[in-house]
Amino acid sequence: MMDLPGRDINTLLEKITNYDKDERYMATMDLGALLSRAGSGGPPVDTNTERRAAAAILGRLDDPSNDVQSVAVKTLSALFVRVGPGLAGDAAHKLSDSVTDASRPELRDVYAIGLRSLVKDVPEACGPAVCGAAVRALLRGLASDDDGMRAACCDVFTDILGRFGSCGDVAEAAGEIGDACLGIVRG
C-alpha cells in the first residue's frame, strides 16, 4: 500500500472510477485506509470530502468486478463509524436493496455483510435513518421464495433488532417481522 498521507484524496477519487479494475480496487482500498487513519487520529477529512468518498465507495457496489465490489463493502466499515444520518440512510438503502436483488444472488452475502457492518458500526444517532431505509426492503426479502435471500434478511434483522429494536420503524414493523420469521420457520 502506498504512503497515504502524501497521496491526494482527489487522485484516489479519480482512480476509483478508472477503466482498469486493478486501479479501482487499489484506489478503493487506499481510500478505506485513508478514512481509517482519519478516524483514528490521522489527518482529518472534511465533511464534503467524506461525502464524496462515501458516494464513490457506494458507487463501487455496482462495479462490474466482483473483487472491487467486495473491497468496497469492506471499505464501508471505515466510513460507517464516522457518518451522519443522511449518509447512513443512503448506505442502508443501497445495501438493503442489493441484499434483496434477486438478479444478483452471487453477491448477496457480500451486501449482507456490508449491511450488518453498517448496523454494528454506525453511530447510535443514525439508527432511525438506517432502520427507515432498510426495514421495508428486508421485509420484502423475508417474503421472497428465495431461501438465500430470506436467510440473509433474517441475519440482518437479527442485528437490527439487537441494536435498534426500539427504533420507531422497527417497533412499528415488529409484528410483520415476527410473522414473516415464523412463516419461514413453519414453511
Side-chain angles (χ1 to χ4, degrees):
M1 183 181 308
M2 298 182 73
D3 181 29
L4 292 176
R7 190 151 181 209
D8 183 27
I9 194 165
N10 290 320
T11 302
L12 289 174
L13 291 172
E14 189 177 302
K15 287 187 176 198
I16 210 166
T17 58
N18 192 292
Y19 70 91
D20 181 358
K21 73 175 182 174
D22 293 330
E23 286 287 329
R24 293 190 312 271
Y25 181 91
M26 289 306 299
T28 304
M29 278 188 47
D30 289 349
L31 192 54
L34 182 65
L35 292 170
S36 290
R37 285 187 190 166
S40 62
V45 177
D46 65 84
T47 306
N48 184 45
T49 302
E50 192 173 270
R51 182 168 284 288
R52 289 176 42 225
I57 294 168
L58 286 170
R60 292 303 91 212
L61 295 177
D62 292 325
D63 197 276
S65 166
N66 290 352
D67 292 336
V68 174
Q69 290 174 351
S70 294
V71 77
V73 168
K74 292 175 188 168
T75 300
L76 286 172
S77 289
L79 192 61
F80 291 157
V81 297
R82 331 166 32 88
V83 299
L87 238 85
D90 291 348
H93 178 75
K94 176 85 170 170
L95 289 166
S96 60
D97 282 351
S98 297
V99 167
T100 58
D101 184 352
S103 70
R104 298 175 80 178
E106 71 280 0
L107 293 172
R108 184 172 297 124
D109 289 342
V110 172
Y111 295 127
I113 290 167
L115 188 52
R116 292 179 78 188
S117 176
L118 173 67
V119 170
K120 179 178 93 43
D121 294 336
V122 77
E124 189 74 28
C126 296
V130 169
C131 295
V135 167
R136 290 288 146 209
L138 293 172
L139 279 169
R140 282 191 306 276
L142 287 177
S144 168
D145 292 334
D146 183 324
D147 290 339
M149 185 184 301
R150 288 195 316 244
C153 291
C154 281
D155 288 344
V156 174
F157 263 131
T158 299
D159 294 342
I160 287 176
L161 290 168
R163 177 126 192 250
F164 300 120
S166 62
C167 175
D169 288 298
V170 176
E172 289 174 17
E176 288 178 78
I177 295 168
D179 290 344
C181 290
L182 283 173
I184 291 169
V185 172
R186 290 183 185 145

